[in-house]
Amino acid sequence: MTGVPASAAGGSSSARRTGPRGTSGAAQEPVGRTNPGSAVERVAAERAATDRGTTDQGTTDRGTTGRGSAERGSAERGSTEGGAAGRGGKIAAAAVNQASVWNVANLLTMLRLLLVPAFVALMLGNGGYDPAWRSFAWAAFAIAMITDLFDGHLARTYNLVTDFGKIADPIADKAIMGAALICLSALGDLPWWVTAVILGRELGITVLRFVVIRYGVIPASRGGKLKTLTQGIAVGMYVLALTGPLATLRFWVMAAAVVLTVATGLDYVKQAIVLRRRGIAERRAALKETEA
């Protein structure tokens, strides 16, 4: 026995046990409490993260906008280049069409036009009754008629049809034929009524074609081609200073040419009337369908 009271000993032991727990409790944070410093840091970190997200989003938006601008710029450049290429193609096509005027078919037509004044000069040379000059005139007329057979064939076969050819070819045909008929009538070799019938028919059919062209095109018939051939042979025989049986033969050939001229002219008029009526009927039917 030491003489120390048990309560004192127990109290001392209890104090020793409590002391460390108290000290440890003081060092540790109480449950349910928040450290102010840690909360501030977390708020700052969240705010910084939000700012970085906004910045990244802005950067992405700027990148997207930049790409959109670049794409629009590329599209605009593409459109500009496409427009330039289209204009260049049209200019090139126009140049090709312009160059295509100088083709073999059109050159033959131009030659036939140039032969018209040459033919008149030869036909009326030395008073108009010299057999030698008439022979040269016949040669010019024959060349003109032969080129008339070839230029249209070449244009259709080798795709050389041009607006110039469409206009110049019929003019050249009627110019050489009209010049020959007028010269022959002026020299007294051919009655004027024959010249009037042939030229009146040719000019009348030409005008008729333009009148009904809105409804369609009157195709060339075999009778028309035969008429042209017969006219060329008859006029050529009259250009030459023929005598005897050949002079009689040329009369009958010219008579056949006049008959074919009148017959084919009436046939063209009939075709024009039918074509016009059909065109008017089709337009009325289309108008009714549109209204319905």
Side-chain angles (χ1 to χ4, degrees), residues 99-111:
S100 66
V101 173
W102 300 97
N103 57 55
V104 177
N106 288 342
L107 290 177
L108 291 177
T109 301
M110 294 177 191
L111 174 62

Side-chain angles (χ1 to χ4, degrees), residues 227-290:
K227 178 269 306 178
T228 302
L229 178 62
T230 307
Q231 282 182 0
I233 294 174
V235 171
M237 294 179 72
Y238 269 88
V239 170
L240 288 173
L242 299 177
T243 59
L246 291 178
T248 304
L249 178 61
R250 71 183 182 181
F251 171 80
W252 291 108
V253 176
M254 181 59 74
V258 172
V259 171
L260 288 173
T261 298
V262 175
T264 55
L266 294 175
D267 181 63
Y268 273 115
V269 172
K270 178 183 177 181
Q271 292 186 52
I273 294 174
V274 172
L275 185 63
R276 181 176 180 274
R277 288 178 178 176
R278 185 190 309 138
I280 293 175
E282 291 176 354
R283 288 189 177 185
R284 288 178 179 176
L287 183 60
K288 290 181 179 179
E289 290 180 359
T290 303

Side-chain angles (χ1 to χ4, degrees), residues 6-52:
S7 60
S12 178
S13 174
S14 173
R16 284 194 299 269
R17 286 194 300 268
T18 305
R21 283 197 302 268
T23 304
S24 176
Q28 294 178 355
E29 292 183 0
V31 178
R33 295 182 60 186
T34 304
N35 190 352
S38 299
V40 172
E41 290 177 357
R42 282 196 299 272
V43 171
E46 291 176 358
R47 187 175 298 173
T50 303
D51 293 340
R52 283 197 301 273

